[in-house]
Amino acid sequence: MAGKLVMKKSTLSFILLATFFLSVAYGRHYRFIVREVSINRLCESKKILTVNGQFPGPTIYAHKGETIIVDVYNKGKYNVTIHWHGVKQPRYPWSDGPEYITQCPIKPGDKFKQKIILSDEEGTLWWHAHSGWQRATVHGALIVYPKQGTPYPFPKPHREIPIIIGEWWKEDIKKLVDEFVASGGQPRNSDAFTINGQPGDLYPCSKNGTFNLEVEFGKTYLLRFISGVMNELMFVSIANHNLTVVGIDGSYTKPLTREYIMITPGQSIDCILKTNQKGDQYYYLAARAYSNGTTTFDNTTTTAILKYKEKDNNTSSSPLFPYLPSYYDTLAVVNFTASLRSLASKNHPIFVPLEIKNKMISTISINAFPCPENGTNSTCQGPNGTRFAASMNNISFVKPTYDILEAYYYHVNGVFGTKFPSFPPYKFNYTADYLPLELDIPDLGTEVKVLKYNTTVEMVLQDTNLVGSSDHPMHLHGYSYYVVGWGFGNFDEKKDPLNYNLVDPPRVNTIAVPKNGWTAIRFKADNPGVWFMHCHIERHISWGMKTAFLVEDGKYPEERMLPPPPDMPPC
């Protein structure tokens, strides 16, 4: 009996010890159940895909350098993948998430244990579905705190509040996308924008659900803004309050105080709010779109309400409305973006590559394909009876049916090519008002760019005015990069690099390339694997504005990609 009792105690001790080491090794553990739920918005009910029945989905919390395990169960009707936006996943692209780039999708009824490896990220990131347009409702915040015992590089806020800006359609998202793709034209504009899942006071049947931000006078709050918006850049502001930017995309910035911020699809921005106004008044937090003027857009405004907790704030007057730039204020967009600077401090250093071994220039274009011979007006609703397309360096990316990462790892031929060009195949005045129609038609292909391990890369992203110019928030998986320069017009290889900021450029994973302009980014290819690069405007990615970097292994074991997990979803 005593022997059995000792055995039980030792077994229990072993279990506790194993649990301890597992918790240290794997950090936090989450369970994501992807399933449909019914939800009411804008006076109507519809079924949407969610994680754990929540919209937005659950927030993940972690500390810098931890590893997170997320068990993803697909209880929905369609294939799904989950991407951890802004997480570099060092040497482990297997859990990055983009469909048919680093994994085949999780089929209905299946599950996938995803390992999220944090490294130098610190601040606000997010997660979202990366299959079709499912991220419209399948998304949530990913908060990365400093390491235990390490302070913020700014006074500790009284409270921290994630604020996710989203986009809402009354129509079923899959039906919307199927019709949009079949038509060859533009997708239908959304019916509303949302703040933490709620449209706000200015929409029908929405007043009671408006998100309320309760604050106390004389405190500081850290607002963690995330743009889950699908197709529009957004201006955001709070009436009578300034916002001080202190971080973007999981990296700290020099404090930048503004009356408004501009946030693109895919970006996250950390802002300090000081509550220094009268408590007897309500204040709107409002967001609306910026439009480059080339397409129609959702011109509605989403709102939340900032309320002071003081006893005298029972007011019958309407909330004060903030200043927001006009829908077409391009200068307001670039002035905000161009003012961002990395903190670049002793405790938060940056490492801008100075000697560049691999220089690239890539055009990013809206294109058009001729209507197929058997097509009709109903199937070719692009400009002048064509079908919309998009490209990088004149290649409109074709999604394979077997994922690129596994094809590379297991030497499966015929899935992808390695001929993504380092420079545009055709040189012309990219931003001219009138361009030859024959330039509108891109090539189709599944081409990636191969990079040697540890090579330094400069990539100039050049917008063109082929079918129409546009702003393009370009997102790179697996890396943060430095935005060293930008400008309007055509990039000048001799003059423009003279004005680069190599001292404290912002370090981001998503940046808006300006309409009829260019942006230069730099990074060091020290993360082996296959890493997706694409515009984060959903209609543009659907048209083909995407590619991938294949970063080869280095010489040493710590420079090589880790092996895949045993439960990778089958192709």
Side-chain angles (χ1 to χ4, degrees), residues 284-302:
Y284 272 134
L285 185 165
R288 72 180 181 200
Y290 157 73
S291 171
N292 51 47
T294 56
T295 60
T296 61
F297 65 100
D298 182 346
N299 63 1
T300 62
T301 302
T302 181

PDB file of all heavy atoms in Angstrom, residues 284-302:
ATOM      1  N   TYR A 284     -16.933  61.218 -29.584  1.00  0.00           N
ATOM      2  CA  TYR A 284     -16.877  60.129 -30.564  1.00  0.00           C
ATOM      3  C   TYR A 284     -15.432  59.755 -30.878  1.00  0.00           C
ATOM      4  O   TYR A 284     -14.580  60.625 -31.105  1.00  0.00           O
ATOM      5  CB  TYR A 284     -17.553  60.531 -31.866  1.00  0.00           C
ATOM      6  CG  TYR A 284     -19.032  60.279 -31.937  1.00  0.00           C
ATOM      7  CD1 TYR A 284     -19.896  61.264 -32.425  1.00  0.00           C
ATOM      8  CD2 TYR A 284     -19.577  59.057 -31.553  1.00  0.00           C
ATOM      9  CE1 TYR A 284     -21.259  61.039 -32.516  1.00  0.00           C
ATOM     10  CE2 TYR A 284     -20.940  58.826 -31.641  1.00  0.00           C
ATOM     11  CZ  TYR A 284     -21.782  59.820 -32.120  1.00  0.00           C
ATOM     12  OH  TYR A 284     -23.122  59.595 -32.198  1.00  0.00           O
ATOM     13  N   LEU A 285     -15.173  58.457 -30.897  1.00  0.00           N
ATOM     14  CA  LEU A 285     -14.028  57.894 -31.595  1.00  0.00           C
ATOM     15  C   LEU A 285     -14.574  57.470 -32.946  1.00  0.00           C
ATOM     16  O   LEU A 285     -15.488  56.641 -33.012  1.00  0.00           O
ATOM     17  CB  LEU A 285     -13.454  56.703 -30.831  1.00  0.00           C
ATOM     18  CG  LEU A 285     -12.164  56.042 -31.329  1.00  0.00           C
ATOM     19  CD1 LEU A 285     -11.573  55.154 -30.247  1.00  0.00           C
ATOM     20  CD2 LEU A 285     -12.340  55.225 -32.607  1.00  0.00           C
ATOM     21  N   ALA A 286     -14.059  58.054 -34.023  1.00  0.00           N
ATOM     22  CA  ALA A 286     -14.652  57.819 -35.342  1.00  0.00           C
ATOM     23  C   ALA A 286     -13.598  57.373 -36.340  1.00  0.00           C
ATOM     24  O   ALA A 286     -12.414  57.729 -36.224  1.00  0.00           O
ATOM     25  CB  ALA A 286     -15.350  59.087 -35.844  1.00  0.00           C
ATOM     26  N   ALA A 287     -14.024  56.592 -37.327  1.00  0.00           N
ATOM     27  CA  ALA A 287     -13.128  56.132 -38.393  1.00  0.00           C
ATOM     28  C   ALA A 287     -13.881  56.127 -39.715  1.00  0.00           C
ATOM     29  O   ALA A 287     -15.045  55.696 -39.771  1.00  0.00           O
ATOM     30  CB  ALA A 287     -12.590  54.734 -38.088  1.00  0.00           C
ATOM     31  N   ARG A 288     -13.239  56.617 -40.749  1.00  0.00           N
ATOM     32  CA  ARG A 288     -13.813  56.564 -42.096  1.00  0.00           C
ATOM     33  C   ARG A 288     -12.704  56.397 -43.119  1.00  0.00           C
ATOM     34  O   ARG A 288     -11.526  56.580 -42.821  1.00  0.00           O
ATOM     35  CB  ARG A 288     -14.649  57.802 -42.392  1.00  0.00           C
ATOM     36  CG  ARG A 288     -13.867  59.074 -42.600  1.00  0.00           C
ATOM     37  CD  ARG A 288     -14.825  60.233 -42.880  1.00  0.00           C
ATOM     38  NE  ARG A 288     -14.111  61.475 -43.102  1.00  0.00           N
ATOM     39  CZ  ARG A 288     -14.675  62.683 -42.988  1.00  0.00           C
ATOM     40  NH1 ARG A 288     -15.951  62.785 -42.641  1.00  0.00           N
ATOM     41  NH2 ARG A 288     -13.967  63.773 -43.215  1.00  0.00           N
ATOM     42  N   ALA A 289     -13.091  56.071 -44.329  1.00  0.00           N
ATOM     43  CA  ALA A 289     -12.132  55.656 -45.353  1.00  0.00           C
ATOM     44  C   ALA A 289     -11.400  56.835 -45.986  1.00  0.00           C
ATOM     45  O   ALA A 289     -11.906  57.955 -46.060  1.00  0.00           O
ATOM     46  CB  ALA A 289     -12.850  54.860 -46.443  1.00  0.00           C
ATOM     47  N   TYR A 290     -10.195  56.540 -46.423  1.00  0.00           N
ATOM     48  CA  TYR A 290      -9.477  57.377 -47.384  1.00  0.00           C
ATOM     49  C   TYR A 290      -9.634  56.712 -48.735  1.00  0.00           C
ATOM     50  O   TYR A 290      -9.474  55.495 -48.871  1.00  0.00           O
ATOM     51  CB  TYR A 290      -7.997  57.484 -47.021  1.00  0.00           C
ATOM     52  CG  TYR A 290      -7.115  57.846 -48.191  1.00  0.00           C
ATOM     53  CD1 TYR A 290      -7.125  59.142 -48.716  1.00  0.00           C
ATOM     54  CD2 TYR A 290      -6.292  56.900 -48.800  1.00  0.00           C
ATOM     55  CE1 TYR A 290      -6.333  59.471 -49.809  1.00  0.00           C
ATOM     56  CE2 TYR A 290      -5.500  57.220 -49.883  1.00  0.00           C
ATOM     57  CZ  TYR A 290      -5.519  58.508 -50.390  1.00  0.00           C
ATOM     58  OH  TYR A 290      -4.738  58.828 -51.479  1.00  0.00           O
ATOM     59  N   SER A 291      -9.938  57.487 -49.748  1.00  0.00           N
ATOM     60  CA  SER A 291     -10.077  56.951 -51.101  1.00  0.00           C
ATOM     61  C   SER A 291      -9.099  57.654 -52.024  1.00  0.00           C
ATOM     62  O   SER A 291      -8.902  58.868 -51.929  1.00  0.00           O
ATOM     63  CB  SER A 291     -11.500  57.153 -51.630  1.00  0.00           C
ATOM     64  OG  SER A 291     -11.573  56.815 -53.002  1.00  0.00           O
ATOM     65  N   ASN A 292      -8.483  56.884 -52.908  1.00  0.00           N
ATOM     66  CA  ASN A 292      -7.573  57.491 -53.879  1.00  0.00           C
ATOM     67  C   ASN A 292      -8.313  58.025 -55.094  1.00  0.00           C
ATOM     68  O   ASN A 292      -7.687  58.511 -56.036  1.00  0.00           O
ATOM     69  CB  ASN A 292      -6.506  56.482 -54.311  1.00  0.00           C
ATOM     70  CG  ASN A 292      -7.113  55.164 -54.744  1.00  0.00           C
ATOM     71  OD1 ASN A 292      -8.062  55.133 -55.516  1.00  0.00           O
ATOM     72  ND2 ASN A 292      -6.586  54.062 -54.231  1.00  0.00           N
ATOM     73  N   GLY A 293      -9.635  57.911 -55.096  1.00  0.00           N
ATOM     74  CA  GLY A 293     -10.417  58.532 -56.159  1.00  0.00           C
ATOM     75  C   GLY A 293     -10.572  57.724 -57.428  1.00  0.00           C
ATOM     76  O   GLY A 293     -11.206  58.172 -58.376  1.00  0.00           O
ATOM     77  N   THR A 294     -10.016  56.492 -57.459  1.00  0.00           N
ATOM     78  CA  THR A 294     -10.084  55.707 -58.693  1.00  0.00           C
ATOM     79  C   THR A 294     -11.221  54.680 -58.680  1.00  0.00           C
ATOM     80  O   THR A 294     -11.559  54.134 -59.716  1.00  0.00           O
ATOM     81  CB  THR A 294      -8.753  54.970 -58.936  1.00  0.00           C
ATOM     82  OG1 THR A 294      -8.456  54.160 -57.789  1.00  0.00           O
ATOM     83  CG2 THR A 294      -7.623  55.964 -59.138  1.00  0.00           C
ATOM     84  N   THR A 295     -11.781  54.390 -57.503  1.00  0.00           N
ATOM     85  CA  THR A 295     -12.878  53.426 -57.419  1.00  0.00           C
ATOM     86  C   THR A 295     -13.924  53.958 -56.452  1.00  0.00           C
ATOM     87  O   THR A 295     -13.670  54.865 -55.660  1.00  0.00           O
ATOM     88  CB  THR A 295     -12.384  52.060 -56.900  1.00  0.00           C
ATOM     89  OG1 THR A 295     -11.821  52.231 -55.588  1.00  0.00           O
ATOM     90  CG2 THR A 295     -11.329  51.466 -57.826  1.00  0.00           C
ATOM     91  N   THR A 296     -15.122  53.374 -56.511  1.00  0.00           N
ATOM     92  CA  THR A 296     -16.130  53.690 -55.507  1.00  0.00           C
ATOM     93  C   THR A 296     -15.708  53.063 -54.185  1.00  0.00           C
ATOM     94  O   THR A 296     -14.884  52.142 -54.154  1.00  0.00           O
ATOM     95  CB  THR A 296     -17.501  53.152 -55.915  1.00  0.00           C
ATOM     96  OG1 THR A 296     -17.433  51.721 -56.043  1.00  0.00           O
ATOM     97  CG2 THR A 296     -17.938  53.754 -57.259  1.00  0.00           C
ATOM     98  N   PHE A 297     -16.255  53.546 -53.091  1.00  0.00           N
ATOM     99  CA  PHE A 297     -15.861  53.034 -51.793  1.00  0.00           C
ATOM    100  C   PHE A 297     -16.988  53.260 -50.795  1.00  0.00           C
ATOM    101  O   PHE A 297     -17.928  54.017 -51.052  1.00  0.00           O
ATOM    102  CB  PHE A 297     -14.575  53.721 -51.311  1.00  0.00           C
ATOM    103  CG  PHE A 297     -14.735  55.202 -51.040  1.00  0.00           C
ATOM    104  CD1 PHE A 297     -14.899  55.681 -49.754  1.00  0.00           C
ATOM    105  CD2 PHE A 297     -14.730  56.128 -52.085  1.00  0.00           C
ATOM    106  CE1 PHE A 297     -15.055  57.034 -49.500  1.00  0.00           C
ATOM    107  CE2 PHE A 297     -14.880  57.489 -51.841  1.00  0.00           C
ATOM    108  CZ  PHE A 297     -15.042  57.940 -50.550  1.00  0.00           C
ATOM    109  N   ASP A 298     -16.885  52.604 -49.662  1.00  0.00           N
ATOM    110  CA  ASP A 298     -17.833  52.771 -48.567  1.00  0.00           C
ATOM    111  C   ASP A 298     -17.509  54.096 -47.876  1.00  0.00           C
ATOM    112  O   ASP A 298     -16.470  54.237 -47.227  1.00  0.00           O
ATOM    113  CB  ASP A 298     -17.687  51.604 -47.594  1.00  0.00           C
ATOM    114  CG  ASP A 298     -18.675  51.662 -46.432  1.00  0.00           C
ATOM    115  OD1 ASP A 298     -19.288  52.718 -46.224  1.00  0.00           O
ATOM    116  OD2 ASP A 298     -18.805  50.642 -45.724  1.00  0.00           O
ATOM    117  N   ASN A 299     -18.404  55.086 -48.029  1.00  0.00           N
ATOM    118  CA  ASN A 299     -18.138  56.415 -47.468  1.00  0.00           C
ATOM    119  C   ASN A 299     -18.845  56.647 -46.131  1.00  0.00           C
ATOM    120  O   ASN A 299     -19.045  57.787 -45.719  1.00  0.00           O
ATOM    121  CB  ASN A 299     -18.517  57.511 -48.466  1.00  0.00           C
ATOM    122  CG  ASN A 299     -20.006  57.528 -48.790  1.00  0.00           C
ATOM    123  OD1 ASN A 299     -20.768  56.727 -48.258  1.00  0.00           O
ATOM    124  ND2 ASN A 299     -20.418  58.435 -49.666  1.00  0.00           N
ATOM    125  N   THR A 300     -19.220  55.560 -45.451  1.00  0.00           N
ATOM    126  CA  THR A 300     -19.871  55.687 -44.155  1.00  0.00           C
ATOM    127  C   THR A 300     -18.827  55.852 -43.047  1.00  0.00           C
ATOM    128  O   THR A 300     -17.625  55.680 -43.276  1.00  0.00           O
ATOM    129  CB  THR A 300     -20.752  54.472 -43.859  1.00  0.00           C
ATOM    130  OG1 THR A 300     -19.923  53.291 -43.818  1.00  0.00           O
ATOM    131  CG2 THR A 300     -21.807  54.291 -44.936  1.00  0.00           C
ATOM    132  N   THR A 301     -19.285  56.168 -41.851  1.00  0.00           N
ATOM    133  CA  THR A 301     -18.387  56.418 -40.716  1.00  0.00           C
ATOM    134  C   THR A 301     -18.801  55.556 -39.529  1.00  0.00           C
ATOM    135  O   THR A 301     -19.972  55.540 -39.138  1.00  0.00           O
ATOM    136  CB  THR A 301     -18.442  57.902 -40.305  1.00  0.00           C
ATOM    137  OG1 THR A 301     -18.078  58.711 -41.425  1.00  0.00           O
ATOM    138  CG2 THR A 301     -17.485  58.179 -39.152  1.00  0.00           C
ATOM    139  N   THR A 302     -17.851  54.840 -38.976  1.00  0.00           N
ATOM    140  CA  THR A 302     -18.103  54.038 -37.787  1.00  0.00           C
ATOM    141  C   THR A 302     -17.681  54.819 -36.547  1.00  0.00           C
ATOM    142  O   THR A 302     -16.725  55.599 -36.589  1.00  0.00           O
ATOM    143  CB  THR A 302     -17.365  52.688 -37.842  1.00  0.00           C
ATOM    144  OG1 THR A 302     -17.665  51.932 -36.651  1.00  0.00           O
ATOM    145  CG2 THR A 302     -15.863  52.862 -37.954  1.00  0.00           C
TER     146      THR A 302
END
